[in-house]
Amino acid sequence: MRALIFICLAVMVAAPASARNVWVTGNVVKTVVSEDAKFAGCLVKLDTPYQGQVPACRNDWLSFDCAGLFTEKSSGARRLDSAILAGAMGAPIRARLNAKRQVDGWCVVDRVEVQFHSAQ
């Protein structure tokens, strides 16, 4: 009986940890925009591998959800625009993803941060 209680407590503690948000940082090296909901509308590939941080993400592309599966389409488009701008400027992005939000194995990014360095 004690073993069963211990297992139940361990599962309750481990479940929220697997759903935590993970931040990945890297330079944008490729983008894909589809005409429909395939890939959730758009994908971004960074030069930094992150799969070890989120084992549920089975490939090295990130979906920005431009099709609006989890958020508004316009929100995904703004995240993609920020990533494209950062890529054009050579600035790295910091993207927040959650393993629970996936589209066909691609983890979905719900926040993008871009740090433009000033030349001072």
Side-chain angles (χ1 to χ4, degrees), residues 6 17-18 25 33-34 52 59 73 96-97 108 110 115-116 118-119:
F6 177 75
S18 65
T25 302
V33 179
S34 67
N59 57 59
K73 287 182 179 183
R96 183 176 70 185
L97 55 103
V108 175
D110 63 5
Q115 177 64 51
F116 296 105
S118 60

Side-chain angles (χ1 to χ4, degrees), residues 82 85-86 89 91-92 114-118:
S82 293
L85 177 62
M89 300 294 293
V114 180
Q115 177 64 51
F116 296 105
H117 300 282
S118 60

Side-chain angles (χ1 to χ4, degrees), residues 2-109:
R2 284 186 181 179
L4 181 60
I5 292 172
F6 177 75
I7 291 171
C8 289
L9 288 174
V11 168
M12 290 172 38
V13 170
S18 65
R20 68 176 166 66
N21 290 327
V22 174
W23 287 93
V24 295
T25 302
N27 292 308
V28 175
V29 294
K30 292 183 183 179
T31 62
V32 173
V33 179
S34 67
E35 70 281 356
D36 53 16
K38 190 174 185 177
F39 317 123
C42 57
L43 294 173
V44 171
K45 185 175 182 179
L46 302 180
D47 64 352
T48 306
Y50 63 87
Q51 290 86 352
Q53 298 174 51
V54 187
C57 298
R58 295 188 299 265
N59 57 59
D60 54 354
W61 290 84
L62 297 170
S63 172
F64 280 38
D65 191 23
C66 296
L69 302 175
F70 297 101
T71 61
E72 295 293 321
K73 287 182 179 183
S74 59
S75 296
R78 281 193 309 274
R79 289 189 293 272
L80 179 65
D81 289 344
S82 293
I84 291 172
L85 177 62
M89 300 294 293
I93 67 167
R94 188 170 179 242
R96 183 176 70 185
L97 55 103
N98 186 324
K100 284 195 168 194
R101 287 187 174 180
Q102 292 187 29
V103 177
D104 298 326
W106 292 284
C107 281
V108 175
V109 171

